[in-house]
Amino acid sequence: MSAEIISGTQMRQEILAELEHEVKAMQEQHGTVPGLVTILVGENPASVSYVTLKVKTALSLGFHEVQDNQPEDISEQDLLALIEKYNNDPAIHGILVQLPLPKHINEDAVINAISPDKDVDGFHPVNLGKMVIGGDQVRYLPCTPAGIQEMIVRSGTETEGAEVVVVGRSNIVGKPISVMMGQKGPGANSTVTMVHTRTKDLAAHCQRADILIVAAGVPGLVKPEWIKPGATVIDVGVNRIGVSEETGKAILSGDVDFEAAKEIAGKITPVPGGVGPMTITMLMKNTVKSAWWHLQEKV
Ligand code: NAP
């Protein structure tokens, strides 16, 4: 039997509708809306397209959106000063600096300069530390792992006591989602194994997984015979495997052999249209959260 497809495109619509409702309520109750600044340095085409999408989504939700484009040769000092300006701007609740940055700028210094209170990407060490501590301490979860967890929960997958195997240990996906799924609490309480290039017998680990999360960046890495029948498979990989002759656009593939895997898995995310649309959605959710927190602090 073919697996149920977990559509990120559809879930995004549901979540954005919920957020739009919240923004309206905030406007009515407090006369304010969430404010997001997107800082883009240079004109890297992939970054331009990500920022354009973020801006469009923020505007569609009724946010106060500031798109701050800076030249490729902006100095690190000037960029840090710009961030400080937005740290102190009460109309801004979320600061997003599009990565990667030009080589002459130290990315860590930039991430560390963003106020943890406005770090809606969830990359600041303070927020990563709070994410590890868990419980009430958690403020902003990093967007891609937050999107993955949301998909698992909204698809009705049982996480309590589930064997979760995460392929990949990057700071933006593998490590945080491993921690999050192992936390005490709803949507988690799983038994987590994180695997990587030095893991012995990757296949054997994957075959145990009730929930298999793959974030390696290797097209077709996960073979259908590695999947436990009925498992939930979340494919985070986004790989450009060619260019369409018809549209001239990149052909994308995940890290899982989707066509074969969907005949074995119980639930599976497609690429594109799976985790991808959830990442920006979670950025919007974090910004709405931030706006509420800032309002509560003022009360
Ligand atoms: P990354 O920093 O390159 O990390 C990849 C991880 O996968 C590393 O830990 C690596 O192990 C592991 N790995 C690579 N090849 C492997 C193999 N053959 N066997 C076992 N483990 C292997 O990548 P990332 O930033 O986490 O991104 C992963 C993928 O997700 C990429 O395709 C990226 O485009 C995609 N992504 C998608 C979204 C989204 O919104 N949909 C967001 C972020 C990333 P080692 O540590 O041992 O090298």
Side-chain angles (χ1 to χ4, degrees), residues 195-222:
V195 299
H196 44 76
T197 56
R198 309 300 162 93
T199 298
K200 290 178 192 155
D201 204 348
L202 197 60
H205 286 287
C206 293
Q207 280 159 352
R208 278 192 293 106
D210 300 312
I211 302 173
L212 180 61
I213 301 168
V214 192
V218 180
L221 173 68
V222 172

PDB file of all heavy atoms in Angstrom, residues 195-222:
ATOM      1  N   VAL A 195      22.950   9.503  13.411  1.00  0.00           N
ATOM      2  CA  VAL A 195      23.999   8.808  12.634  1.00  0.00           C
ATOM      3  C   VAL A 195      24.627   9.777  11.634  1.00  0.00           C
ATOM      4  O   VAL A 195      24.051  10.801  11.290  1.00  0.00           O
ATOM      5  CB  VAL A 195      23.431   7.553  11.923  1.00  0.00           C
ATOM      6  CG1 VAL A 195      22.894   6.556  12.931  1.00  0.00           C
ATOM      7  CG2 VAL A 195      22.332   7.919  10.920  1.00  0.00           C
ATOM      8  N   HIS A 196      25.835   9.410  11.171  1.00  0.00           N
ATOM      9  CA  HIS A 196      26.626  10.327  10.317  1.00  0.00           C
ATOM     10  C   HIS A 196      27.602   9.505   9.487  1.00  0.00           C
ATOM     11  O   HIS A 196      27.495   8.271   9.436  1.00  0.00           O
ATOM     12  CB  HIS A 196      27.320  11.355  11.215  1.00  0.00           C
ATOM     13  CG  HIS A 196      27.936  10.762  12.428  1.00  0.00           C
ATOM     14  ND1 HIS A 196      29.117  10.048  12.382  1.00  0.00           N
ATOM     15  CD2 HIS A 196      27.485  10.687  13.709  1.00  0.00           C
ATOM     16  CE1 HIS A 196      29.386   9.601  13.603  1.00  0.00           C
ATOM     17  NE2 HIS A 196      28.405   9.967  14.418  1.00  0.00           N
ATOM     18  N   THR A 197      28.584  10.184   8.901  1.00  0.00           N
ATOM     19  CA  THR A 197      29.475   9.468   7.967  1.00  0.00           C
ATOM     20  C   THR A 197      30.377   8.446   8.659  1.00  0.00           C
ATOM     21  O   THR A 197      30.916   7.567   8.006  1.00  0.00           O
ATOM     22  CB  THR A 197      30.382  10.445   7.186  1.00  0.00           C
ATOM     23  OG1 THR A 197      31.109  11.225   8.124  1.00  0.00           O
ATOM     24  CG2 THR A 197      29.587  11.352   6.252  1.00  0.00           C
ATOM     25  N   ARG A 198      30.561   8.578   9.968  1.00  0.00           N
ATOM     26  CA  ARG A 198      31.436   7.625  10.668  1.00  0.00           C
ATOM     27  C   ARG A 198      30.642   6.484  11.306  1.00  0.00           C
ATOM     28  O   ARG A 198      31.200   5.650  12.003  1.00  0.00           O
ATOM     29  CB  ARG A 198      32.269   8.320  11.766  1.00  0.00           C
ATOM     30  CG  ARG A 198      33.018   9.553  11.281  1.00  0.00           C
ATOM     31  CD  ARG A 198      33.994   9.192  10.164  1.00  0.00           C
ATOM     32  NE  ARG A 198      34.386  10.388   9.417  1.00  0.00           N
ATOM     33  CZ  ARG A 198      35.443  11.127   9.674  1.00  0.00           C
ATOM     34  NH1 ARG A 198      36.229  10.827  10.657  1.00  0.00           N
ATOM     35  NH2 ARG A 198      35.700  12.184   8.928  1.00  0.00           N
ATOM     36  N   THR A 199      29.345   6.474  11.100  1.00  0.00           N
ATOM     37  CA  THR A 199      28.504   5.422  11.689  1.00  0.00           C
ATOM     38  C   THR A 199      28.753   4.100  10.977  1.00  0.00           C
ATOM     39  O   THR A 199      28.837   4.051   9.750  1.00  0.00           O
ATOM     40  CB  THR A 199      27.014   5.818  11.541  1.00  0.00           C
ATOM     41  OG1 THR A 199      26.796   7.026  12.260  1.00  0.00           O
ATOM     42  CG2 THR A 199      26.090   4.735  12.052  1.00  0.00           C
ATOM     43  N   LYS A 200      28.872   3.043  11.784  1.00  0.00           N
ATOM     44  CA  LYS A 200      29.008   1.707  11.207  1.00  0.00           C
ATOM     45  C   LYS A 200      27.616   1.193  10.893  1.00  0.00           C
ATOM     46  O   LYS A 200      26.729   1.274  11.731  1.00  0.00           O
ATOM     47  CB  LYS A 200      29.691   0.762  12.209  1.00  0.00           C
ATOM     48  CG  LYS A 200      31.147   1.099  12.406  1.00  0.00           C
ATOM     49  CD  LYS A 200      31.757   0.168  13.453  1.00  0.00           C
ATOM     50  CE  LYS A 200      33.123   0.700  13.855  1.00  0.00           C
ATOM     51  NZ  LYS A 200      33.515   0.276  15.193  1.00  0.00           N
ATOM     52  N   ASP A 201      27.418   0.663   9.746  1.00  0.00           N
ATOM     53  CA  ASP A 201      26.157   0.048   9.327  1.00  0.00           C
ATOM     54  C   ASP A 201      24.944   0.990   9.448  1.00  0.00           C
ATOM     55  O   ASP A 201      24.046   0.797  10.270  1.00  0.00           O
ATOM     56  CB  ASP A 201      25.900  -1.243  10.118  1.00  0.00           C
ATOM     57  CG  ASP A 201      24.980  -2.184   9.339  1.00  0.00           C
ATOM     58  OD1 ASP A 201      24.390  -1.739   8.326  1.00  0.00           O
ATOM     59  OD2 ASP A 201      24.854  -3.354   9.736  1.00  0.00           O
ATOM     60  N   LEU A 202      24.981   2.002   8.605  1.00  0.00           N
ATOM     61  CA  LEU A 202      23.897   2.992   8.550  1.00  0.00           C
ATOM     62  C   LEU A 202      22.545   2.305   8.305  1.00  0.00           C
ATOM     63  O   LEU A 202      21.536   2.639   8.930  1.00  0.00           O
ATOM     64  CB  LEU A 202      24.221   3.937   7.386  1.00  0.00           C
ATOM     65  CG  LEU A 202      23.534   5.270   7.297  1.00  0.00           C
ATOM     66  CD1 LEU A 202      23.829   6.113   8.515  1.00  0.00           C
ATOM     67  CD2 LEU A 202      23.997   6.001   6.032  1.00  0.00           C
ATOM     68  N   ALA A 203      22.547   1.335   7.404  1.00  0.00           N
ATOM     69  CA  ALA A 203      21.302   0.651   7.020  1.00  0.00           C
ATOM     70  C   ALA A 203      20.634   0.026   8.244  1.00  0.00           C
ATOM     71  O   ALA A 203      19.423   0.177   8.442  1.00  0.00           O
ATOM     72  CB  ALA A 203      21.586  -0.415   5.973  1.00  0.00           C
ATOM     73  N   ALA A 204      21.428  -0.637   9.096  1.00  0.00           N
ATOM     74  CA  ALA A 204      20.856  -1.338  10.252  1.00  0.00           C
ATOM     75  C   ALA A 204      20.171  -0.352  11.198  1.00  0.00           C
ATOM     76  O   ALA A 204      19.113  -0.650  11.762  1.00  0.00           O
ATOM     77  CB  ALA A 204      21.952  -2.115  10.988  1.00  0.00           C
ATOM     78  N   HIS A 205      20.789   0.823  11.382  1.00  0.00           N
ATOM     79  CA  HIS A 205      20.161   1.831  12.249  1.00  0.00           C
ATOM     80  C   HIS A 205      18.849   2.312  11.641  1.00  0.00           C
ATOM     81  O   HIS A 205      17.833   2.395  12.317  1.00  0.00           O
ATOM     82  CB  HIS A 205      21.108   3.016  12.454  1.00  0.00           C
ATOM     83  CG  HIS A 205      22.238   2.706  13.378  1.00  0.00           C
ATOM     84  ND1 HIS A 205      22.064   2.587  14.735  1.00  0.00           N
ATOM     85  CD2 HIS A 205      23.547   2.474  13.140  1.00  0.00           C
ATOM     86  CE1 HIS A 205      23.224   2.296  15.304  1.00  0.00           C
ATOM     87  NE2 HIS A 205      24.149   2.218  14.349  1.00  0.00           N
ATOM     88  N   CYS A 206      18.891   2.627  10.338  1.00  0.00           N
ATOM     89  CA  CYS A 206      17.676   3.147   9.689  1.00  0.00           C
ATOM     90  C   CYS A 206      16.541   2.123   9.757  1.00  0.00           C
ATOM     91  O   CYS A 206      15.379   2.496   9.953  1.00  0.00           O
ATOM     92  CB  CYS A 206      17.969   3.515   8.225  1.00  0.00           C
ATOM     93  SG  CYS A 206      19.089   4.914   8.069  1.00  0.00           S
ATOM     94  N   GLN A 207      16.884   0.862   9.621  1.00  0.00           N
ATOM     95  CA  GLN A 207      15.854  -0.197   9.603  1.00  0.00           C
ATOM     96  C   GLN A 207      15.095  -0.308  10.923  1.00  0.00           C
ATOM     97  O   GLN A 207      14.008  -0.865  10.976  1.00  0.00           O
ATOM     98  CB  GLN A 207      16.500  -1.552   9.257  1.00  0.00           C
ATOM     99  CG  GLN A 207      16.740  -1.690   7.764  1.00  0.00           C
ATOM    100  CD  GLN A 207      17.807  -2.730   7.426  1.00  0.00           C
ATOM    101  OE1 GLN A 207      18.481  -3.264   8.315  1.00  0.00           O
ATOM    102  NE2 GLN A 207      17.980  -2.998   6.139  1.00  0.00           N
ATOM    103  N   ARG A 208      15.671   0.233  12.016  1.00  0.00           N
ATOM    104  CA  ARG A 208      15.001   0.187  13.326  1.00  0.00           C
ATOM    105  C   ARG A 208      14.026   1.346  13.515  1.00  0.00           C
ATOM    106  O   ARG A 208      13.259   1.383  14.473  1.00  0.00           O
ATOM    107  CB  ARG A 208      16.042   0.324  14.445  1.00  0.00           C
ATOM    108  CG  ARG A 208      16.758  -0.911  14.821  1.00  0.00           C
ATOM    109  CD  ARG A 208      17.528  -0.693  16.125  1.00  0.00           C
ATOM    110  NE  ARG A 208      18.629   0.247  15.982  1.00  0.00           N
ATOM    111  CZ  ARG A 208      18.645   1.493  16.434  1.00  0.00           C
ATOM    112  NH1 ARG A 208      17.617   1.983  17.083  1.00  0.00           N
ATOM    113  NH2 ARG A 208      19.699   2.265  16.256  1.00  0.00           N
ATOM    114  N   ALA A 209      14.108   2.336  12.627  1.00  0.00           N
ATOM    115  CA  ALA A 209      13.429   3.609  12.894  1.00  0.00           C
ATOM    116  C   ALA A 209      11.921   3.550  12.676  1.00  0.00           C
ATOM    117  O   ALA A 209      11.445   3.189  11.605  1.00  0.00           O
ATOM    118  CB  ALA A 209      14.021   4.699  12.008  1.00  0.00           C
ATOM    119  N   ASP A 210      11.185   3.956  13.720  1.00  0.00           N
ATOM    120  CA  ASP A 210       9.746   4.199  13.540  1.00  0.00           C
ATOM    121  C   ASP A 210       9.576   5.550  12.847  1.00  0.00           C
ATOM    122  O   ASP A 210       8.624   5.764  12.119  1.00  0.00           O
ATOM    123  CB  ASP A 210       9.034   4.256  14.900  1.00  0.00           C
ATOM    124  CG  ASP A 210       9.197   2.957  15.678  1.00  0.00           C
ATOM    125  OD1 ASP A 210       8.969   1.887  15.074  1.00  0.00           O
ATOM    126  OD2 ASP A 210       9.584   3.004  16.869  1.00  0.00           O
ATOM    127  N   ILE A 211      10.501   6.461  13.171  1.00  0.00           N
ATOM    128  CA  ILE A 211      10.518   7.778  12.515  1.00  0.00           C
ATOM    129  C   ILE A 211      11.938   7.984  11.992  1.00  0.00           C
ATOM    130  O   ILE A 211      12.900   7.984  12.769  1.00  0.00           O
ATOM    131  CB  ILE A 211      10.145   8.906  13.506  1.00  0.00           C
ATOM    132  CG1 ILE A 211       8.751   8.649  14.113  1.00  0.00           C
ATOM    133  CG2 ILE A 211      10.195  10.265  12.816  1.00  0.00           C
ATOM    134  CD1 ILE A 211       8.358   9.612  15.228  1.00  0.00           C
ATOM    135  N   LEU A 212      12.058   8.119  10.689  1.00  0.00           N
ATOM    136  CA  LEU A 212      13.382   8.286  10.072  1.00  0.00           C
ATOM    137  C   LEU A 212      13.478   9.700   9.516  1.00  0.00           C
ATOM    138  O   LEU A 212      12.685  10.083   8.652  1.00  0.00           O
ATOM    139  CB  LEU A 212      13.551   7.241   8.950  1.00  0.00           C
ATOM    140  CG  LEU A 212      14.876   7.260   8.183  1.00  0.00           C
ATOM    141  CD1 LEU A 212      16.070   6.998   9.106  1.00  0.00           C
ATOM    142  CD2 LEU A 212      14.859   6.197   7.068  1.00  0.00           C
ATOM    143  N   ILE A 213      14.435  10.468  10.042  1.00  0.00           N
ATOM    144  CA  ILE A 213      14.614  11.866   9.607  1.00  0.00           C
ATOM    145  C   ILE A 213      15.952  11.941   8.890  1.00  0.00           C
ATOM    146  O   ILE A 213      16.995  11.608   9.473  1.00  0.00           O
ATOM    147  CB  ILE A 213      14.598  12.821  10.825  1.00  0.00           C
ATOM    148  CG1 ILE A 213      13.270  12.685  11.582  1.00  0.00           C
ATOM    149  CG2 ILE A 213      14.827  14.268  10.383  1.00  0.00           C
ATOM    150  CD1 ILE A 213      13.240  13.348  12.947  1.00  0.00           C
ATOM    151  N   VAL A 214      15.933  12.331   7.630  1.00  0.00           N
ATOM    152  CA  VAL A 214      17.163  12.275   6.838  1.00  0.00           C
ATOM    153  C   VAL A 214      17.574  13.676   6.401  1.00  0.00           C
ATOM    154  O   VAL A 214      16.845  14.350   5.674  1.00  0.00           O
ATOM    155  CB  VAL A 214      16.984  11.363   5.598  1.00  0.00           C
ATOM    156  CG1 VAL A 214      18.336  11.089   4.961  1.00  0.00           C
ATOM    157  CG2 VAL A 214      16.293  10.065   5.970  1.00  0.00           C
ATOM    158  N   ALA A 215      18.744  14.118   6.861  1.00  0.00           N
ATOM    159  CA  ALA A 215      19.263  15.450   6.508  1.00  0.00           C
ATOM    160  C   ALA A 215      20.754  15.313   6.214  1.00  0.00           C
ATOM    161  O   ALA A 215      21.608  15.741   6.989  1.00  0.00           O
ATOM    162  CB  ALA A 215      19.020  16.431   7.648  1.00  0.00           C
ATOM    163  N   ALA A 216      21.059  14.694   5.085  1.00  0.00           N
ATOM    164  CA  ALA A 216      22.457  14.431   4.725  1.00  0.00           C
ATOM    165  C   ALA A 216      22.913  15.256   3.523  1.00  0.00           C
ATOM    166  O   ALA A 216      24.081  15.585   3.377  1.00  0.00           O
ATOM    167  CB  ALA A 216      22.643  12.939   4.428  1.00  0.00           C
ATOM    168  N   GLY A 217      21.990  15.571   2.618  1.00  0.00           N
ATOM    169  CA  GLY A 217      22.372  16.282   1.391  1.00  0.00           C
ATOM    170  C   GLY A 217      22.983  15.341   0.371  1.00  0.00           C
ATOM    171  O   GLY A 217      23.835  15.753  -0.423  1.00  0.00           O
ATOM    172  N   VAL A 218      22.546  14.077   0.389  1.00  0.00           N
ATOM    173  CA  VAL A 218      23.046  13.087  -0.569  1.00  0.00           C
ATOM    174  C   VAL A 218      21.838  12.459  -1.284  1.00  0.00           C
ATOM    175  O   VAL A 218      21.079  11.705  -0.661  1.00  0.00           O
ATOM    176  CB  VAL A 218      23.857  11.969   0.146  1.00  0.00           C
ATOM    177  CG1 VAL A 218      24.378  10.950  -0.861  1.00  0.00           C
ATOM    178  CG2 VAL A 218      24.993  12.568   0.959  1.00  0.00           C
ATOM    179  N   PRO A 219      21.640  12.781  -2.565  1.00  0.00           N
ATOM    180  CA  PRO A 219      20.435  12.264  -3.236  1.00  0.00           C
ATOM    181  C   PRO A 219      20.396  10.734  -3.242  1.00  0.00           C
ATOM    182  O   PRO A 219      21.403  10.082  -3.504  1.00  0.00           O
ATOM    183  CB  PRO A 219      20.551  12.816  -4.669  1.00  0.00           C
ATOM    184  CG  PRO A 219      21.929  13.372  -4.798  1.00  0.00           C
ATOM    185  CD  PRO A 219      22.474  13.612  -3.436  1.00  0.00           C
ATOM    186  N   GLY A 220      19.224  10.199  -2.894  1.00  0.00           N
ATOM    187  CA  GLY A 220      19.025   8.744  -2.937  1.00  0.00           C
ATOM    188  C   GLY A 220      19.832   7.959  -1.920  1.00  0.00           C
ATOM    189  O   GLY A 220      19.964   6.739  -2.034  1.00  0.00           O
ATOM    190  N   LEU A 221      20.349   8.645  -0.870  1.00  0.00           N
ATOM    191  CA  LEU A 221      21.169   7.933   0.133  1.00  0.00           C
ATOM    192  C   LEU A 221      20.376   6.793   0.788  1.00  0.00           C
ATOM    193  O   LEU A 221      20.875   5.682   0.950  1.00  0.00           O
ATOM    194  CB  LEU A 221      21.644   8.927   1.210  1.00  0.00           C
ATOM    195  CG  LEU A 221      22.358   8.332   2.419  1.00  0.00           C
ATOM    196  CD1 LEU A 221      23.717   7.753   2.022  1.00  0.00           C
ATOM    197  CD2 LEU A 221      22.555   9.374   3.524  1.00  0.00           C
ATOM    198  N   VAL A 222      19.132   7.084   1.158  1.00  0.00           N
ATOM    199  CA  VAL A 222      18.330   6.080   1.880  1.00  0.00           C
ATOM    200  C   VAL A 222      17.587   5.188   0.881  1.00  0.00           C
ATOM    201  O   VAL A 222      16.741   5.642   0.114  1.00  0.00           O
ATOM    202  CB  VAL A 222      17.351   6.756   2.860  1.00  0.00           C
ATOM    203  CG1 VAL A 222      16.392   5.747   3.472  1.00  0.00           C
ATOM    204  CG2 VAL A 222      18.138   7.472   3.957  1.00  0.00           C
TER     205      VAL A 222
END
